[in-house]
Amino acid sequence: MSFKKALRAIIMGPPGSGKGTISAWIVRDFEMKHLSSGDMLRAQMGKGTGAGVAAKAAIARGELVADDVMNEMIIAEIEEIENESFLLDGYPRTVSQAAALDEAQPVHTVINLAVPFDTIRERIENRWVHQGSGRVYHTVFNPPKRPGFDDQTNEPLIQREDDKPHSVLARLDVYKKQTEPLLARYRGQGKLTEFTGTESKVIYPEVKKFLETLVLA
């Protein structure tokens, strides 16, 4: 399904909200490019652009990439497809970045996945992994046959550091503090549409219905 005019959209959602899954379904059902900030960052570093070199150096030092460097890299990638519809994922993360994007390539709509934090905590905290293969289990939705052990090798499962309760709470707290001003900005611009739910398969039909209204616009 394609839009009459190129649609520039952002998708937002906390870690564990199902953003990756829903993004994949959107680009499957609509003629949109999924622009991941991580992928674009790697592309610019691979091209050896000035911003890419600066970003690589910051990462090597264990520092966050500065807003102005991120802006230059992401906007350069977006400008290469300015006549195509895209779904921007992972950028902007700050009001400063949003302001730069508004000036260069203002978006038409922002999709926010407002999944309750309690649901996200349950999803992530109950996730266990087989280190050797990367197989993922969930103690509620996809439990191993023998609790704590991989089905195929019978080796012990581990919980990633990021999936441990204290880490999950810290990540969600950082996300909330970082994104609240951003959501307020887009809400004030009349561009924000929020979708609340606990399951991606329930949220996505509503997202799809919303995007279908933009196809006809």
Side-chain angles (χ1 to χ4, degrees), residues 7 10 31 37 42-43 64 67 77 81 117 128 132-133 155 158 162-163 166 168 185 187 191 202 212 216-217:
L7 178 74
I10 294 170
E31 290 183 18
S37 60
R42 285 185 287 274
L64 292 174
D67 276 0
E77 289 290 311
I81 60 158
F117 279 9
W128 291 79
S133 67
E155 293 172 345
I158 65 164
D162 278 356
D163 292 347
H166 66 278
V168 174
R185 178 187 179 89
R187 190 178 291 114
K191 295 179 178 180
V202 175
E212 284 171 346
L216 302 173

Side-chain angles (χ1 to χ4, degrees), residues 101-118:
L101 183 63
D102 280 350
E103 188 174 335
Q105 291 281 340
V107 297
H108 301 110
T109 191
V110 179
I111 295 165
N112 183 46
L113 306 179
V115 178
F117 279 9
D118 285 347

Side-chain angles (χ1 to χ4, degrees), residues 201-213:
K201 64 184 179 183
V202 175
I203 295 173
Y204 181 63
E206 297 304 313
V207 174
K208 185 179 180 185
K209 193 183 302 181
F210 166 69
L211 289 174
E212 284 171 346
T213 66

Side-chain angles (χ1 to χ4, degrees), residues 28-137:
R28 177 196 67 192
D29 294 338
F30 298 89
E31 290 183 18
M32 302 183 77
K33 285 187 177 293
H34 179 215
L35 301 181
S36 158
S37 60
D39 290 345
M40 290 188 286
L41 180 63
R42 285 185 287 274
Q44 285 287 304
M45 289 192 295
K47 292 173 184 175
T49 63
V53 170
K56 193 171 184 177
I59 292 169
R61 293 191 300 268
E63 299 171 358
L64 292 174
V65 179
D67 276 0
D68 58 340
V69 175
M70 282 297 296
N71 294 339
E72 186 178 339
M73 287 191 300
I74 301 298
I75 291 167
E77 289 290 311
I78 291 173
E79 286 176 345
E80 291 185 9
I81 60 158
E82 62 179 331
N83 295 319
E84 298 180 54
S85 295
F86 62 74
L87 182 68
L88 190 52
D89 178 1
Y91 176 93
R93 291 182 183 273
T94 65
V95 170
S96 170
Q97 290 177 357
L101 183 63
D102 280 350
E103 188 174 335
Q105 291 281 340
V107 297
H108 301 110
T109 191
V110 179
I111 295 165
N112 183 46
L113 306 179
V115 178
F117 279 9
D118 285 347
T119 298
I120 292 171
R121 284 178 58 191
E122 182 181 339
R123 281 182 188 174
I124 298 176
E125 291 175 6
N126 289 318
R127 191 162 57 192
W128 291 79
V129 179
H130 176 242
Q131 192 168 20
S133 67
R135 278 185 290 275
V136 179
Y137 297 88

